[in-house]
Amino acid sequence: MTSTTSEPAAAAALPSPFNFAGHLFALNRARAARIAYLDDRGALSYGALEDRSRRLAGALLAAGLRREERVLLLMLDTNDWPVAFLGCLYAGVQPVAVNTLLTAEDYAYMLAHSRAQAVLVSGGLLPVLQAAQSLGPNEVRHVWVSDPAGPLASGHMEWEAALAAAPALAAPASTTPDGPGFWLYSSGSTGRPKGTVHTHGNLWWTAELYGKQVLGLTEDDVCFSAAKLYFAYGLGNALSFPLSVGATVVLMAERPTPDAVFRRWRTHRPTVFFGAPTGYAGMLASPQLPARAEVALRMCSSAGEALPAEVAQRFEAHFGCEVIDGIGSTEMLHIFLSNRPGQVRYGSTGQPVPGYGIELRGEDGRPVADGEIGDLYIRGPSAALLYWDNREKTRDTFQGAWTKSGDKYVRDAEGYYTYAGRSDDMLKVSGIYVSPFEVEATLMQHPAVLEAAVIGQQDAEGLTKTKAFVVLKDGQAATPEELQAFVKERLAPFKYPRFVEFLRELPKTATGKIQRYRLREREAQA
């Protein structure tokens, strides 16, 4: 039966009280002069990170915020972001980290849903926040603006003035490992985003079990994450993991285009890079791709979607460093199933991270045998507490000790797990399940293909067949017949795409995940 468990003996290893920000500051006091963060404006030392975070904590409490009230973080990836997040944790208020690429309507919903009492916002994002506040009722009492573009409206305070408004908080709030610490909103690809409530202890567990035990990060590393801090993936990559070992982090406020990433690789010489499959494919297709000698990469990480083997193999061949593919989720905070340095099997998502149990279940709820596709369930110490104000979805996702991922996987006899698609993306063709990802990954092996997305489409007889939407590389050409023959040569005949359509780009979420449901909607309207 497909069930793997390697959980820690007891989550009680964490003391109570436990405040994650206080834990990090104590851990790094001997490194006060060492650089913690580098953004486009300059460096922030570990000593300055603690000082500014504690001053923000003092200012929040002096402004009247109380324990466990929410503070919306609508901030770009600059040195002020970790100060904001850690300052909130230190004060015992709950930062609600939100995606900076959303609409005013999205933020209006999040303000009302979280009942945020304050907002910490980057100056460039202030207009969309103001638009959001005008759309409906909210409880915001304070808006503090980092790097404002001009004079501020009444009721808004400049970030530096806010930090100077009160003395630094002397001691961290007496929070607990299992107490609510912060929120992250899910991507909301199938409805309203869900406010996912995490604990102070969850940050510690992911850093210990994945950042240290799997990735093996050290204080000598320079970490750079294309995934932003407001994502669960980016929060580990650029905050909890590196700060838990005293490493240095490169931050980038702008979008992670290939050229923007390459500039940081050359300038700051990161040793560990965290990206997503779409980003790796885009970088490899760029004419500006750096030579191996121009970078200092020793290891790369990938998550967000399953990494096609062909992309990973070409990246390693060019740069000489492995790409460690894994899967995590907002609900589990970071990666729970992963390849390991020196043991990478491209095309698979690896094996369970130490401390996590994995089970694949069939439609009857029982574990499936190796080689059979099943729904992925996870058990581990970093699971979220709940979805705020959403009992139905909480009960559906958090089932006792287990968390339902919504992904389908298959495990081989050696214990390696391979992605088989989202549960709502799986197709039944000729009575047999077909993984869209398997077909997509095969199409991407074709030298002309940059990206591909596969959905089900009914043929003239009303039977479900696979349809592929394909984005070609610049200057490349291919015909539908050529791509169909290419897949037929590599997969079972019933899996090849009966229909092929070329697009200039695929619809994606703000996290870069392909939105197959939008392609299905497009077909339904055709």
Side-chain angles (χ1 to χ4, degrees):
M1 295 295 182
T2 305
S3 182
T4 306
T5 303
S6 57
E7 295 170 86
L14 285 177
S16 187
F18 176 82
N19 182 290
F20 187 72
H23 161 74
L24 288 182
F25 298 155
L27 194 67
N28 290 301
R29 286 202 179 110
R31 303 184 179 97
R34 186 178 178 86
I35 294 174
Y37 285 97
L38 286 164
D39 69 5
D40 293 337
R41 298 177 298 180
L44 182 70
S45 70
Y46 271 97
L49 174 64
E50 177 179 357
D51 176 66
R52 290 173 65 80
S53 299
R54 289 174 55 196
R55 283 198 281 136
L56 176 64
L60 289 167
L61 298 183
L65 271 87
R66 297 174 296 179
R67 281 281 299 273
E68 298 185 6
E69 288 187 325
R70 268 76 69 189
V71 175
L72 198 80
L73 262 61
L74 178 56
M75 302 181 74
L76 300 172
D77 274 27
T78 70
N79 291 345
D80 289 340
W81 203 105
V83 170
F85 186 82
L86 294 173
C88 288
L89 292 184
Y90 199 80
V93 301
Q94 296 176 18
V96 180
V98 298
N99 191 325
T100 59
L101 301 176
L102 302 179
T103 66
E105 289 78 10
D106 292 319
Y107 298 131
Y109 169 77
M110 292 172 177
L111 287 171
H113 181 248
S114 67
R115 300 201 295 273
Q117 302 295 302
V119 181
L120 306 180
V121 59
S122 294
L125 299 170
L126 184 57
V128 72
L129 171 66
Q130 293 172 315
Q133 288 185 272
S134 72
L135 291 176
N138 62 79
E139 301 181 24
V140 174
R141 294 182 281 129
H142 305 281
V143 175
W144 296 350
V145 186
S146 166
D147 196 22
L152 297 176
S154 175
H156 295 179
M157 182 180 288
E158 198 272 331
W159 171 264
E160 293 298 334
L163 264 62
L169 189 61
S174 184
T175 51
T176 65
D178 292 335
F182 64 100
W183 291 25
L184 299 171
Y185 273 96
S186 69
S187 59
S189 60
T190 57
R192 286 289 195 184
K194 298 180 290 294
T196 311
V197 183
H198 276 284
T199 71
H200 281 259
N202 288 355
L203 292 161
W204 187 89
W205 281 112
T206 55
E208 289 295 313
L209 298 177
Y210 193 69
K212 293 181 181 180
Q213 293 191 38
V214 174
L215 297 182
L217 299 179
T218 74
E219 66 177 349
D220 295 324
D221 279 314
V222 177
C223 299
F224 175 34
S225 177
K228 301 299 185 181
L229 280 159
Y230 54 74
F231 297 134
Y233 180 47
L235 183 61
N237 304 341
L239 193 145
S240 57
F241 293 3
L243 298 192
S244 291
V245 297
T248 295
V249 183
V250 176
L251 293 179
M252 178 175 67
E254 65 182 298
R255 291 180 57 248
T257 62
D259 286 351
V261 170
F262 298 157
R263 285 197 300 274
R264 274 77 181 182
W265 283 2
R266 293 184 174 105
T267 302
H268 297 302
R269 309 279 293 173
T271 59
V272 182
F273 175 73
F274 300 86
T278 299
Y280 286 109
M283 288 188 289
L284 287 170
S286 171
Q288 305 303 320
L289 186 70
R292 182 186 298 194
E294 295 181 83
V295 304
L297 299 172
R298 72 169 183 85
M299 180 175 63
C300 290
S301 166
S302 180
E305 287 191 299
L307 178 67
E310 184 267 344
V311 171
Q313 289 162 349
R314 286 199 293 128
F315 190 92
E316 182 176 353
H318 184 85
F319 288 109
C321 67
E322 294 178 316
V323 184
I324 311 301
D325 186 31
I327 182 176
S329 67
T330 303
E331 290 75 12
M332 295 304 295
L333 190 56
H334 213 276
I335 291 172
F336 47 79
L337 185 62
S338 179
N339 282 277
R340 288 165 173 70
Q343 303 175 43
V344 172
R345 182 178 292 185
Y346 290 133
S348 85
T349 316
Q351 299 176 313
V353 169
Y356 291 88
I358 301 294
E359 192 165 279
L360 302 184
R361 300 178 185 174
E363 293 180 358
D364 60 0
R366 297 177 180 275
V368 301
D370 286 348
E372 295 182 10
I373 292 174
D375 292 304
L376 176 67
Y377 285 75
I378 314 102
R379 182 169 60 189
S382 64
L385 293 173
L386 74 160
Y387 297 128
W388 182 260
D389 195 22
N390 195 334
R391 178 177 288 190
E392 181 181 359
K393 285 299 296 182
T394 295
R395 285 176 167 173
D396 183 55
T397 299
F398 303 104
Q399 301 179 7
W402 293 92
T403 300
K404 183 174 73 173
S405 72
D407 294 294
K408 286 187 179 287
Y409 265 82
V410 61
R411 191 180 80 166
D412 66 20
E414 295 178 278
Y416 281 81
Y417 289 74
T418 300
Y419 183 63
R422 290 289 296 173
S423 297
D424 53 3
D425 286 333
M426 290 295 291
L427 308 175
K428 241 182 182 178
V429 179
S430 301
I432 306 172
Y433 274 117
V434 173
S435 162
F437 178 76
E438 182 182 23
V439 183
E440 293 164 4
T442 303
L443 283 165
M444 288 181 64
Q445 295 174 24
H446 191 283
V449 174
L450 176 63
E451 293 181 309
V454 170
I455 65 170
Q457 176 175 300
Q458 290 189 340
D459 63 11
E461 286 74 38
L463 300 174
T464 297
K465 305 297 182 185
T466 49
K467 176 169 183 176
F469 294 87
V470 175
V471 178
L472 297 177
K473 297 175 182 175
D474 288 343
Q476 297 290 319
T479 65
E481 295 75 17
E482 178 184 349
L483 295 181
Q484 289 169 328
F486 184 83
V487 175
K488 280 183 182 179
E489 292 173 358
R490 290 159 175 80
L491 297 179
F494 68 89
K495 296 182 179 181
Y496 87 92
R498 302 304 204 276
F499 314 98
V500 176
E501 182 176 340
F502 296 103
L503 298 178
R504 293 181 61 85
E505 61 181 4
L506 298 175
K508 295 173 185 173
T509 67
T511 65
K513 296 180 181 178
I514 296 170
Q515 294 174 309
R516 294 177 186 83
Y517 78 95
R518 288 182 58 188
L519 295 172
R520 288 194 290 268
E521 291 173 351
R522 180 178 182 272
E523 290 303 294
Q525 295 168 2

